[in-house]
Amino acid sequence: MSNSVERALRILVELADGPSTISELGRRLDVHRTTSLRLLRTLEEERFVRRADDGAYRLGPRMAALAAAALDGLDIRDGAARHLAALGEACGQTIHLGVLEGHQVMYLDKVESRQAVRMYSHIGALAPLHATGIGKVLLAYMSAGERDALLGADPYPRFTPNTLTDRQALDEVLDSTARQGWVLDDFEHEEFIHCVSAPVFDAAGRVAAAISVSAPSMVLDRPGLLAYTEDLTSTARAISEELGWSQP
């Protein structure tokens, strides 16, 4: 990469953190003022940056257009596929990728278990928010008002003896989920299936999806399932980075 291109890119990265003057950019990038000015003028002509009335430079409209185009081109399923496959290879259990669809979870992708006993779930299937790991993750990062709109009034439908059917108990689990970054589905949707789930964030820091590791109880007990939590959360972070998210 040529020095000029590298310096121009570094200017754009610096301006992404906020407006800067020519002098400030020169100090941070360790380049002469005349070099900074030459690069900024070129970037300004192409509308990648703009100079405000106070003399500071900011990112320009062409950068916003490029960013929007890049985000539109990101496909969660495509971006997640190789990471889900790697997680499935590492743990040998069923892996799901799910998103919010109306008032339910929709399974967007699935990696089959290597075990003889398998889950009947399939891509495109819908599942309840309050009784699944992926659903609880999606709810956990929402405001109380957003949860109200999706959940409605309790009691919620009971699927197993472990299903959380009242709002107070569910909110306690959701708040804990947001703090720790993952949640356990403790046989809440199906009596013999449990899972751990973690959030996938987009470039704006919103939860765009969630992933899970699921297994029947006769294949994997709770300690065995929880042992995959670190692999799960690191995979969720890797997918988030594919979508443009960066660690705060």
Side-chain angles (χ1 to χ4, degrees):
M1 184 184 299
S2 71
N3 287 340
S4 294
V5 172
E6 182 179 4
R7 286 167 178 166
L9 292 174
R10 289 173 63 196
I11 285 174
L12 295 175
V13 171
E14 288 292 332
L15 292 180
D17 290 331
S20 293
T21 65
I22 295 175
S23 298
E24 289 169 343
L25 287 169
R27 284 196 301 273
R28 275 185 263 165
L29 302 179
D30 193 25
V31 296
H32 196 274
R33 177 187 172 89
T34 55
T35 301
S36 298
L37 181 59
R38 175 174 54 82
L39 292 172
L40 284 165
R41 282 177 174 168
T42 300
L43 291 170
E44 188 175 18
E45 287 173 3
E46 297 297 327
R47 299 187 299 122
F48 286 109
V49 303
R50 61 184 178 86
R51 187 172 183 269
D53 292 339
D54 60 5
Y57 284 86
R58 293 165 168 77
L59 291 179
R62 194 165 186 185
M63 281 299 298
L66 288 176
L71 290 174
D72 285 343
L74 290 175
D75 182 280
I76 295 175
R77 187 178 177 189
D78 287 347
R82 65 186 178 90
H83 300 288
L84 298 180
L87 180 60
E89 182 65 26
C91 68
Q93 307 301 331
T94 302
I95 311 299
H96 286 115
L97 169 70
V99 295
L100 182 66
E101 177 66 24
H103 288 63
Q104 296 176 286
V105 171
M106 182 178 75
Y107 293 120
L108 200 60
D109 207 351
K110 178 184 181 182
V111 176
E112 289 284 3
S113 166
R114 294 198 300 269
Q115 310 300 322
V117 179
R118 296 187 175 186
M119 296 178 61
Y120 69 82
S121 61
H122 59 87
I123 296 171
L126 299 174
L129 287 167
H130 71 285
T132 57
I134 286 178
K136 288 190 291 184
V137 165
L138 296 174
L139 289 168
Y141 295 84
M142 295 180 183
S143 67
E146 290 172 318
R147 291 179 192 173
D148 289 341
L150 288 170
L151 292 169
D154 58 4
Y156 308 124
R158 182 179 295 281
F159 298 95
T160 76
N162 288 3
T163 305
L164 299 174
T165 60
D166 71 274
R167 180 61 180 270
Q168 182 176 348
L170 181 60
D171 277 343
E172 288 175 2
V173 170
L174 298 180
D175 292 343
S176 173
T177 300
R179 289 193 299 271
Q180 69 184 8
W182 59 272
V183 70
L184 172 70
D185 168 358
D186 191 22
F187 310 107
E188 295 162 48
H189 188 216
E190 300 175 74
E191 287 198 42
F192 303 106
I193 302 291
H194 54 173
C195 81
V196 283
S197 184
V200 171
F201 297 94
D202 64 16
R206 298 178 298 246
V207 174
I211 62 173
S212 66
V213 176
S214 304
S217 56
M218 69 282 290
V219 170
L220 194 65
D221 61 12
R222 181 184 290 185
L225 179 66
L226 293 178
Y228 291 121
T229 300
E230 186 173 344
D231 288 338
L232 171 77
T233 53
S234 64
T235 300
R237 285 194 298 272
I239 298 170
S240 299
E241 289 168 0
E242 293 273 3
L243 299 181
W245 173 84
S246 58
Q247 183 79 43

Coordinates of all heavy atoms in Angstrom, one line a residue, residues 56-151:
A56 N -12.7 22.6 11.4 CA -12.5 21.2 11.6 C -13.0 20.4 10.5 O -14.0 20.7 9.8 CB -13.1 20.8 12.9
Y57 N -12.4 19.2 10.2 CA -12.9 18.3 9.2 C -13.7 17.2 9.8 O -13.4 16.7 10.9 CB -11.7 17.7 8.5 CG -11.0 18.7 7.5 CD1 -10.1 19.6 7.9 CD2 -11.4 18.7 6.1 CE1 -9.5 20.5 7.0 CE2 -10.8 19.6 5.2 CZ -9.9 20.5 5.7 OH -9.3 21.4 4.8
R58 N -14.7 16.8 9.1 CA -15.6 15.7 9.5 C -15.7 14.7 8.3 O -15.4 15.1 7.2 CB -17.0 16.2 9.8 CG -17.0 17.1 11.1 CD -18.3 17.9 11.2 NE -18.5 18.5 12.5 CZ -17.8 19.6 12.9 NH1 -17.0 20.2 12.1 NH2 -18.1 20.1 14.1
L59 N -16.2 13.5 8.6 CA -16.5 12.6 7.5 C -17.6 13.2 6.6 O -18.6 13.8 7.1 CB -17.0 11.3 8.1 CG -15.9 10.4 8.8 CD1 -16.6 9.1 9.3 CD2 -14.8 10.1 7.9
G60 N -17.5 13.0 5.3 CA -18.4 13.6 4.4 C -19.6 12.6 3.9 O -19.6 11.4 4.3
P61 N -20.4 13.1 3.1 CA -21.6 12.3 2.7 C -21.3 11.1 1.9 O -22.0 10.1 1.9 CB -22.4 13.3 1.8 CG -21.4 14.3 1.4 CD -20.4 14.5 2.5
R62 N -20.2 11.1 1.2 CA -19.8 9.9 0.4 C -19.5 8.7 1.4 O -19.8 7.5 1.1 CB -18.7 10.1 -0.5 CG -18.5 9.0 -1.6 CD -17.6 9.5 -2.7 NE -17.6 8.5 -3.8 CZ -16.8 8.6 -4.9 NH1 -16.1 9.7 -5.0 NH2 -16.8 7.7 -5.8
M63 N -18.9 9.0 2.5 CA -18.6 8.0 3.5 C -19.8 7.4 4.0 O -19.9 6.2 4.2 CB -17.7 8.5 4.6 CG -16.2 8.7 4.3 SD -15.4 7.1 3.8 CE -15.6 6.2 5.4
A64 N -20.8 8.2 4.3 CA -22.1 7.8 4.8 C -22.8 6.8 3.8 O -23.3 5.8 4.1 CB -23.0 8.9 5.1
A65 N -22.7 7.2 2.5 CA -23.3 6.4 1.5 C -22.6 5.0 1.3 O -23.3 4.0 1.2 CB -23.2 7.1 0.1
L66 N -21.3 5.1 1.4 CA -20.5 3.8 1.4 C -20.8 2.9 2.6 O -21.0 1.7 2.4 CB -19.0 4.1 1.3 CG -18.5 4.6 0.0 CD1 -17.0 5.0 0.1 CD2 -18.7 3.7 -1.2
A67 N -20.9 3.5 3.7 CA -21.3 2.8 4.9 C -22.6 2.1 4.8 O -22.8 0.9 5.2 CB -21.2 3.7 6.2
A68 N -23.6 2.9 4.3 CA -25.0 2.3 4.2 C -25.0 1.2 3.2 O -25.6 0.2 3.4 CB -25.9 3.4 3.7
A69 N -24.2 1.3 2.1 CA -24.2 0.3 1.1 C -23.5 -1.0 1.6 O -23.9 -2.1 1.4 CB -23.4 0.8 -0.1
A70 N -22.5 -0.8 2.4 CA -21.8 -1.9 3.0 C -22.7 -2.7 4.0 O -22.8 -3.9 4.0 CB -20.5 -1.5 3.8
L71 N -23.4 -1.9 4.8 CA -24.4 -2.6 5.8 C -25.5 -3.3 5.1 O -25.9 -4.4 5.5 CB -24.9 -1.5 6.7 CG -23.9 -0.9 7.7 CD1 -24.5 0.2 8.5 CD2 -23.4 -2.0 8.7
D72 N -26.0 -2.7 4.0 CA -27.1 -3.3 3.2 C -26.6 -4.6 2.6 O -27.4 -5.6 2.4 CB -27.6 -2.4 2.1 CG -28.4 -1.3 2.6 OD1 -28.9 -1.4 3.8 OD2 -28.6 -0.3 1.9
G73 N -25.3 -4.7 2.3 CA -24.7 -5.9 1.7 C -24.4 -7.0 2.7 O -24.0 -8.1 2.3
L74 N -24.5 -6.7 4.0 CA -24.2 -7.7 5.0 C -25.4 -8.7 5.2 O -26.5 -8.2 5.4 CB -23.9 -7.1 6.3 CG -22.5 -6.3 6.4 CD1 -22.4 -5.6 7.7 CD2 -21.4 -7.2 6.1
D75 N -25.2 -10.0 5.0 CA -26.2 -10.9 5.3 C -25.9 -11.7 6.5 O -24.8 -12.3 6.6 CB -26.3 -11.9 4.0 CG -27.4 -12.9 4.2 OD1 -27.2 -13.9 4.9 OD2 -28.5 -12.6 3.7
I76 N -26.7 -11.7 7.5 CA -26.4 -12.4 8.8 C -26.1 -13.9 8.6 O -25.1 -14.4 9.1 CB -27.6 -12.2 9.8 CG1 -27.7 -10.7 10.1 CG2 -27.3 -13.1 11.0 CD1 -28.9 -10.5 11.0
R77 N -26.9 -14.5 7.8 CA -26.7 -16.0 7.6 C -25.4 -16.3 6.9 O -24.6 -17.1 7.3 CB -27.9 -16.5 6.8 CG -27.9 -18.1 6.7 CD -29.0 -18.6 6.0 NE -28.9 -20.0 5.8 CZ -29.7 -20.8 5.1 NH1 -30.7 -20.2 4.4 NH2 -29.6 -22.1 5.0
D78 N -25.1 -15.5 5.8 CA -23.8 -15.7 5.1 C -22.6 -15.4 6.0 O -21.6 -16.1 6.0 CB -23.8 -14.8 3.9 CG -24.7 -15.3 2.8 OD1 -25.2 -16.5 2.9 OD2 -24.9 -14.6 1.8
G79 N -22.8 -14.3 6.8 CA -21.7 -13.9 7.7 C -21.4 -14.9 8.8 O -20.3 -15.0 9.3
A80 N -22.5 -15.6 9.2 CA -22.4 -16.5 10.3 C -22.0 -17.9 10.0 O -21.5 -18.6 10.8 CB -23.7 -16.5 11.1
A81 N -22.2 -18.3 8.7 CA -22.1 -19.7 8.3 C -20.9 -20.4 8.7 O -20.9 -21.5 9.4 CB -22.3 -19.8 6.8
R82 N -19.7 -19.8 8.4 CA -18.5 -20.5 8.7 C -18.2 -20.6 10.2 O -17.6 -21.6 10.7 CB -17.3 -19.9 8.0 CG -16.9 -18.5 8.4 CD -15.8 -17.9 7.5 NE -15.5 -16.6 7.8 CZ -14.6 -16.2 8.7 NH1 -13.9 -17.1 9.3 NH2 -14.3 -14.9 8.9
H83 N -18.7 -19.6 10.9 CA -18.5 -19.6 12.4 C -19.4 -20.6 13.0 O -19.0 -21.3 14.0 CB -18.8 -18.2 12.9 CG -17.9 -17.1 12.4 ND1 -16.6 -17.0 12.7 CD2 -18.1 -16.1 11.5 CE1 -16.0 -16.0 12.1 NE2 -16.9 -15.4 11.4
L84 N -20.6 -20.7 12.5 CA -21.5 -21.8 13.1 C -21.0 -23.2 12.8 O -21.1 -24.1 13.6 CB -22.9 -21.6 12.4 CG -23.7 -20.3 12.7 CD1 -25.0 -20.3 12.0 CD2 -23.8 -20.0 14.2
A85 N -20.4 -23.4 11.6 CA -19.9 -24.7 11.2 C -18.7 -25.0 12.1 O -18.6 -26.2 12.6 CB -19.4 -24.7 9.8
A86 N -17.9 -24.0 12.4 CA -16.7 -24.3 13.3 C -17.2 -24.6 14.7 O -16.6 -25.5 15.4 CB -15.8 -23.1 13.3
L87 N -18.2 -23.9 15.2 CA -18.7 -24.2 16.5 C -19.3 -25.6 16.6 O -19.1 -26.4 17.5 CB -19.8 -23.2 16.9 CG -20.4 -23.3 18.3 CD1 -19.4 -23.3 19.4 CD2 -21.5 -22.2 18.5
G88 N -20.1 -26.0 15.5 CA -20.6 -27.3 15.5 C -19.6 -28.4 15.4 O -19.7 -29.4 16.1
E89 N -18.5 -28.1 14.7 CA -17.4 -29.1 14.6 C -16.7 -29.2 16.0 O -16.3 -30.3 16.4 CB -16.4 -28.6 13.6 CG -15.2 -29.5 13.4 CD -15.6 -30.8 12.8 OE1 -16.6 -30.9 12.1 OE2 -14.8 -31.8 13.0
A90 N -16.6 -28.1 16.7 CA -16.0 -28.1 18.0 C -16.7 -28.9 19.1 O -16.2 -29.6 19.9 CB -15.7 -26.7 18.5
C91 N -18.1 -28.7 19.1 CA -18.9 -29.3 20.2 C -19.7 -30.5 19.8 O -20.1 -31.3 20.6 CB -19.7 -28.2 20.8 SG -21.1 -27.6 19.8
G92 N -20.0 -30.7 18.5 CA -20.7 -31.8 18.0 C -22.2 -31.8 18.3 O -22.9 -32.8 18.1
Q93 N -22.7 -30.6 18.8 CA -24.1 -30.5 19.1 C -24.8 -29.7 18.1 O -24.2 -29.1 17.2 CB -24.2 -29.9 20.5 CG -23.5 -30.6 21.6 CD -23.9 -32.1 21.8 OE1 -25.0 -32.5 21.5 NE2 -22.9 -32.9 22.2
T94 N -26.1 -29.6 18.2 CA -26.9 -28.8 17.3 C -26.7 -27.3 17.5 O -26.7 -26.8 18.7 CB -28.4 -29.1 17.5 OG1 -28.7 -30.5 17.3 CG2 -29.3 -28.3 16.5
I95 N -26.5 -26.6 16.5 CA -26.2 -25.1 16.5 C -27.4 -24.4 15.8 O -27.7 -24.8 14.7 CB -24.9 -24.7 15.9 CG1 -23.8 -25.6 16.4 CG2 -24.6 -23.2 16.1 CD1 -23.5 -25.5 17.9
H96 N -28.0 -23.4 16.4 CA -29.0 -22.6 15.7 C -28.6 -21.1 15.6 O -27.9 -20.6 16.5 CB -30.3 -22.7 16.5 CG -31.0 -24.0 16.4 ND1 -31.2 -24.8 17.5 CD2 -31.6 -24.6 15.4 CE1 -31.9 -25.9 17.1 NE2 -32.2 -25.7 15.8
L97 N -29.0 -20.5 14.6 CA -29.0 -19.1 14.4 C -30.4 -18.6 14.3 O -31.2 -19.1 13.4 CB -28.2 -18.7 13.2 CG -28.3 -17.2 12.7 CD1 -27.5 -16.3 13.7 CD2 -27.7 -17.1 11.3
G98 N -30.9 -17.7 15.2 CA -32.2 -17.2 15.1 C -32.4 -15.7 15.2 O -31.5 -15.0 15.7
V99 N -33.5 -15.2 14.6 CA -33.8 -13.8 14.6 C -35.2 -13.6 15.0 O -36.0 -14.5 15.1 CB -33.6 -13.2 13.1 CG1 -32.1 -13.3 12.7 CG2 -34.5 -13.9 12.1
L100 N -35.5 -12.3 15.3 CA -36.9 -11.9 15.6 C -37.7 -11.9 14.3 O -37.4 -11.2 13.4 CB -36.9 -10.6 16.3 CG -38.3 -10.0 16.8 CD1 -38.8 -10.9 17.9 CD2 -38.1 -8.6 17.2
E101 N -38.9 -12.6 14.4 CA -39.8 -12.6 13.2 C -41.2 -12.3 13.8 O -41.8 -13.2 14.4 CB -39.7 -13.9 12.5 CG -40.7 -14.0 11.3 CD -40.5 -13.0 10.2 OE1 -39.3 -12.5 10.1 OE2 -41.4 -12.6 9.5
G102 N -41.7 -11.1 13.7 CA -42.9 -10.7 14.4 C -42.8 -10.8 15.9 O -42.0 -10.2 16.5
H103 N -43.6 -11.7 16.5 CA -43.6 -11.9 17.9 C -43.0 -13.2 18.3 O -43.2 -13.7 19.4 CB -45.0 -11.8 18.5 CG -45.6 -10.5 18.5 ND1 -45.9 -9.8 17.3 CD2 -46.0 -9.7 19.5 CE1 -46.4 -8.6 17.6 NE2 -46.5 -8.5 18.9
Q104 N -42.2 -13.8 17.4 CA -41.6 -15.1 17.6 C -40.1 -15.1 17.2 O -39.6 -14.2 16.6 CB -42.4 -16.2 16.9 CG -43.8 -16.4 17.3 CD -44.5 -17.4 16.5 OE1 -44.9 -17.1 15.4 NE2 -44.7 -18.6 17.1
V105 N -39.5 -16.2 17.5 CA -38.1 -16.5 17.0 C -38.3 -17.3 15.7 O -39.1 -18.2 15.6 CB -37.3 -17.4 18.0 CG1 -36.0 -17.9 17.4 CG2 -37.1 -16.6 19.3
M106 N -37.4 -16.9 14.7 CA -37.4 -17.8 13.5 C -35.9 -18.3 13.4 O -35.0 -17.5 13.5 CB -37.7 -17.0 12.2 CG -37.7 -17.9 11.0 SD -38.1 -17.0 9.5 CE -36.7 -16.0 9.2
Y107 N -35.8 -19.6 13.2 CA -34.5 -20.2 13.0 C -34.0 -19.9 11.5 O -34.6 -20.4 10.6 CB -34.6 -21.7 13.2 CG -34.8 -22.0 14.7 CD1 -36.0 -22.7 15.1 CD2 -34.0 -21.6 15.7 CE1 -36.2 -23.0 16.4 CE2 -34.3 -21.8 17.0 CZ -35.4 -22.5 17.4 OH -35.6 -22.8 18.7
L108 N -32.9 -19.2 11.5 CA -32.4 -18.7 10.2 C -31.4 -19.7 9.6 O -31.2 -19.8 8.4 CB -31.7 -17.4 10.4 CG -31.5 -16.5 9.2 CD1 -32.8 -16.1 8.5 CD2 -30.8 -15.2 9.6
D109 N -30.7 -20.5 10.5 CA -29.8 -21.5 10.0 C -29.6 -22.5 11.1 O -29.9 -22.3 12.3 CB -28.4 -20.8 9.7 CG -27.6 -21.6 8.7 OD1 -28.0 -22.8 8.4 OD2 -26.6 -21.1 8.2
K110 N -29.1 -23.7 10.7 CA -28.9 -24.8 11.7 C -27.7 -25.6 11.2 O -27.6 -25.9 10.1 CB -30.2 -25.6 11.7 CG -30.1 -26.8 12.7 CD -31.4 -27.7 12.6 CE -31.3 -28.9 13.5 NZ -32.5 -29.7 13.4
V111 N -26.9 -26.0 12.2 CA -25.9 -27.0 12.0 C -26.3 -28.3 12.8 O -26.5 -28.2 14.0 CB -24.5 -26.5 12.5 CG1 -23.5 -27.6 12.3 CG2 -24.1 -25.3 11.8
E112 N -26.4 -29.4 12.1 CA -26.9 -30.6 12.7 C -25.9 -31.2 13.7 O -24.7 -31.1 13.5 CB -27.2 -31.6 11.6 CG -28.4 -31.3 10.8 CD -29.7 -31.6 11.5 OE1 -29.7 -32.0 12.7 OE2 -30.8 -31.4 10.9
S113 N -26.4 -31.8 14.7 CA -25.6 -32.5 15.6 C -24.9 -33.8 15.0 O -25.5 -34.3 14.1 CB -26.4 -32.9 16.8 OG -25.8 -33.9 17.6
R114 N -23.8 -34.2 15.6 CA -23.2 -35.4 15.1 C -23.7 -36.6 15.9 O -23.3 -37.7 15.7 CB -21.7 -35.3 15.3 CG -21.0 -34.3 14.4 CD -19.5 -34.6 14.3 NE -18.8 -34.6 15.6 CZ -18.2 -33.5 16.1 NH1 -18.3 -32.3 15.4 NH2 -17.7 -33.5 17.2
Q115 N -24.6 -36.3 16.9 CA -25.1 -37.4 17.8 C -26.2 -38.2 17.1 O -26.8 -37.7 16.1 CB -25.7 -36.7 19.1 CG -24.7 -35.8 19.7 CD -23.4 -36.4 20.2 OE1 -23.4 -37.6 20.6 NE2 -22.3 -35.7 20.0
A116 N -26.4 -39.4 17.6 CA -27.5 -40.2 17.0 C -28.9 -39.6 17.3 O -29.8 -39.7 16.4 CB -27.4 -41.6 17.6
V117 N -29.0 -39.0 18.4 CA -30.3 -38.4 18.8 C -30.2 -36.9 18.4 O -29.4 -36.2 18.8 CB -30.5 -38.5 20.3 CG1 -31.9 -37.8 20.7 CG2 -30.5 -39.9 20.8
R118 N -31.2 -36.5 17.5 CA -31.1 -35.2 16.9 C -32.4 -34.4 17.2 O -33.5 -35.0 17.4 CB -30.8 -35.2 15.4 CG -29.5 -35.8 15.1 CD -29.2 -35.7 13.6 NE -27.8 -36.2 13.3 CZ -27.3 -36.1 12.1 NH1 -28.0 -35.6 11.1 NH2 -26.1 -36.5 11.8
M119 N -32.3 -33.1 17.0 CA -33.5 -32.3 17.2 C -34.3 -32.2 15.9 O -33.8 -32.2 14.8 CB -33.1 -30.9 17.6 CG -32.4 -30.8 19.0 SD -31.9 -29.1 19.4 CE -33.5 -28.3 19.5
Y120 N -35.6 -32.0 16.0 CA -36.5 -31.9 14.9 C -36.6 -30.5 14.3 O -37.2 -30.3 13.3 CB -37.9 -32.4 15.2 CG -38.7 -31.5 16.1 CD1 -39.4 -30.4 15.6 CD2 -38.7 -31.8 17.5 CE1 -40.1 -29.6 16.5 CE2 -39.4 -31.0 18.3 CZ -40.1 -29.9 17.8 OH -40.8 -29.1 18.7
S121 N -36.0 -29.5 14.9 CA -36.1 -28.1 14.4 C -35.6 -28.0 13.0 O -34.8 -28.9 12.6 CB -35.3 -27.2 15.3 OG -33.9 -27.6 15.3
H122 N -36.0 -27.0 12.3 CA -35.6 -26.8 10.9 C -35.5 -25.3 10.6 O -36.2 -24.5 11.3 CB -36.5 -27.5 9.9 CG -37.9 -27.1 10.0 ND1 -38.4 -26.0 9.3 CD2 -39.0 -27.5 10.7 CE1 -39.7 -25.8 9.6 NE2 -40.1 -26.7 10.4
I123 N -34.8 -25.0 9.6 CA -34.7 -23.6 9.1 C -36.0 -23.1 8.7 O -36.8 -23.7 8.0 CB -33.7 -23.5 8.0 CG1 -32.3 -23.9 8.4 CG2 -33.6 -22.1 7.4 CD1 -31.2 -24.0 7.3
G124 N -36.4 -21.9 9.2 CA -37.7 -21.3 9.0 C -38.7 -21.6 10.0 O -39.8 -21.0 10.0
A125 N -38.4 -22.5 10.9 CA -39.4 -22.9 12.0 C -39.5 -21.7 13.0 O -38.5 -20.9 13.2 CB -38.9 -24.1 12.8
L126 N -40.6 -21.5 13.6 CA -40.9 -20.5 14.5 C -41.0 -21.1 16.0 O -41.4 -22.2 16.1 CB -42.2 -19.8 14.2 CG -42.3 -19.1 12.8 CD1 -43.7 -18.5 12.6 CD2 -41.2 -17.9 12.8
A127 N -40.6 -20.3 16.9 CA -40.6 -20.7 18.3 C -40.9 -19.5 19.2 O -40.7 -18.4 18.8 CB -39.2 -21.3 18.7
P128 N -41.4 -19.8 20.4 CA -41.8 -18.6 21.3 C -40.6 -17.9 21.9 O -39.5 -18.5 22.2 CB -42.6 -19.4 22.4 CG -42.0 -20.7 22.4 CD -41.7 -21.1 21.0
L129 N -40.7 -16.6 22.1 CA -39.7 -15.8 22.6 C -39.4 -16.1 24.1 O -38.2 -16.3 24.5 CB -40.0 -14.3 22.5 CG -40.0 -13.7 21.1 CD1 -40.7 -12.3 21.2 CD2 -38.5 -13.5 20.7
H130 N -40.4 -16.3 24.9 CA -40.2 -16.4 26.3 C -39.7 -17.8 26.8 O -39.3 -17.9 27.9 CB -41.5 -16.1 27.1 CG -42.6 -17.2 26.9 ND1 -43.3 -17.3 25.8 CD2 -43.0 -18.2 27.8 CE1 -44.1 -18.4 25.9 NE2 -44.0 -18.9 27.1
A131 N -39.8 -18.8 25.9 CA -39.5 -20.1 26.3 C -38.3 -20.7 25.6 O -38.1 -21.9 25.7 CB -40.7 -21.0 26.1
T132 N -37.5 -19.9 24.9 CA -36.3 -20.4 24.2 C -35.1 -19.6 24.5 O -35.2 -18.4 24.9 CB -36.5 -20.4 22.7 OG1 -36.8 -19.0 22.3 CG2 -37.6 -21.3 22.2
G133 N -33.9 -20.2 24.4 CA -32.7 -19.4 24.7 C -32.5 -18.3 23.8 O -32.2 -17.1 24.2
I134 N -32.7 -18.5 22.5 CA -32.5 -17.4 21.5 C -33.6 -16.3 21.7 O -33.2 -15.1 21.7 CB -32.7 -18.0 20.1 CG1 -31.4 -18.8 19.7 CG2 -32.9 -16.9 19.0 CD1 -31.4 -19.4 18.3
G135 N -34.8 -16.7 22.0 CA -35.8 -15.7 22.3 C -35.5 -14.9 23.5 O -35.7 -13.6 23.5
K136 N -35.0 -15.5 24.6 CA -34.7 -14.7 25.8 C -33.5 -13.8 25.5 O -33.5 -12.7 26.1 CB -34.4 -15.7 26.9 CG -35.7 -16.4 27.4 CD -35.4 -17.1 28.7 CE -34.6 -18.3 28.6 NZ -34.4 -19.1 29.8
V137 N -32.6 -14.2 24.7 CA -31.5 -13.3 24.4 C -32.0 -12.1 23.6 O -31.6 -10.9 23.9 CB -30.4 -14.1 23.6 CG1 -29.4 -13.1 22.9 CG2 -29.6 -15.0 24.5
L138 N -32.8 -12.3 22.6 CA -33.4 -11.2 21.8 C -34.2 -10.2 22.7 O -34.1 -9.0 22.6 CB -34.3 -11.7 20.7 CG -33.6 -12.6 19.7 CD1 -34.7 -13.2 18.7 CD2 -32.6 -11.8 18.9
L139 N -34.9 -10.8 23.7 CA -35.7 -9.9 24.6 C -34.8 -9.2 25.6 O -35.1 -8.1 26.0 CB -36.7 -10.8 25.4 CG -37.9 -11.3 24.6 CD1 -38.6 -12.4 25.5 CD2 -38.8 -10.2 24.3
A140 N -33.7 -9.8 26.0 CA -32.8 -9.3 27.1 C -32.3 -7.9 26.8 O -32.1 -7.1 27.8 CB -31.7 -10.3 27.4
Y141 N -32.0 -7.6 25.6 CA -31.4 -6.3 25.3 C -32.4 -5.2 24.8 O -32.1 -4.2 24.3 CB -30.3 -6.5 24.2 CG -29.2 -7.3 24.7 CD1 -29.3 -8.7 24.7 CD2 -28.0 -6.7 25.3 CE1 -28.2 -9.5 25.2 CE2 -27.0 -7.5 25.8 CZ -27.1 -8.9 25.8 OH -26.1 -9.7 26.3
M142 N -33.7 -5.5 25.0 CA -34.8 -4.6 24.7 C -35.2 -3.8 25.9 O -34.9 -4.2 27.0 CB -36.0 -5.3 24.2 CG -35.8 -6.1 22.9 SD -37.3 -6.9 22.4 CE -36.8 -7.8 20.9
S143 N -35.8 -2.6 25.6 CA -36.4 -1.9 26.7 C -37.7 -2.5 27.2 O -38.2 -3.4 26.6 CB -36.8 -0.5 26.2 OG -37.8 -0.5 25.3
A144 N -38.1 -2.1 28.4 CA -39.4 -2.7 29.0 C -40.5 -2.5 28.0 O -41.4 -3.4 27.8 CB -39.7 -2.0 30.3
G145 N -40.6 -1.3 27.3 CA -41.7 -1.1 26.4 C -41.6 -2.0 25.2 O -42.7 -2.4 24.7
E146 N -40.4 -2.3 24.7 CA -40.3 -3.2 23.6 C -40.7 -4.6 24.0 O -41.4 -5.3 23.2 CB -38.9 -3.2 23.1 CG -38.5 -1.9 22.4 CD -37.0 -1.8 22.0 OE1 -36.2 -2.2 22.9 OE2 -36.7 -1.3 20.9
R147 N -40.3 -5.0 25.2 CA -40.8 -6.3 25.7 C -42.3 -6.4 25.8 O -42.9 -7.4 25.4 CB -40.1 -6.6 27.0 CG -38.6 -6.8 27.0 CD -38.1 -7.1 28.4 NE -36.7 -7.0 28.5 CZ -35.9 -7.1 29.6 NH1 -36.6 -7.2 30.8 NH2 -34.6 -7.0 29.6
D148 N -42.9 -5.3 26.3 CA -44.3 -5.2 26.5 C -45.0 -5.5 25.1 O -46.0 -6.3 25.0 CB -44.8 -3.9 27.0 CG -44.4 -3.6 28.4 OD1 -44.2 -4.6 29.1 OD2 -44.4 -2.5 28.9
A149 N -44.5 -4.8 24.1 CA -45.2 -4.9 22.8 C -45.1 -6.3 22.2 O -46.0 -6.8 21.5 CB -44.5 -3.9 21.8
L150 N -44.0 -7.0 22.5 CA -43.8 -8.4 22.0 C -44.5 -9.4 22.8 O -45.0 -10.4 22.3 CB -42.3 -8.7 21.8 CG -41.6 -7.9 20.7 CD1 -40.1 -8.1 20.8 CD2 -42.1 -8.4 19.3
L151 N -44.4 -9.3 24.1 CA -44.9 -10.3 25.0 C -46.4 -10.2 25.4 O -47.0 -11.2 25.6 CB -44.1 -10.3 26.3 CG -42.6 -10.8 26.2 CD1 -41.9 -10.4 27.5 CD2 -42.5 -12.2 25.8

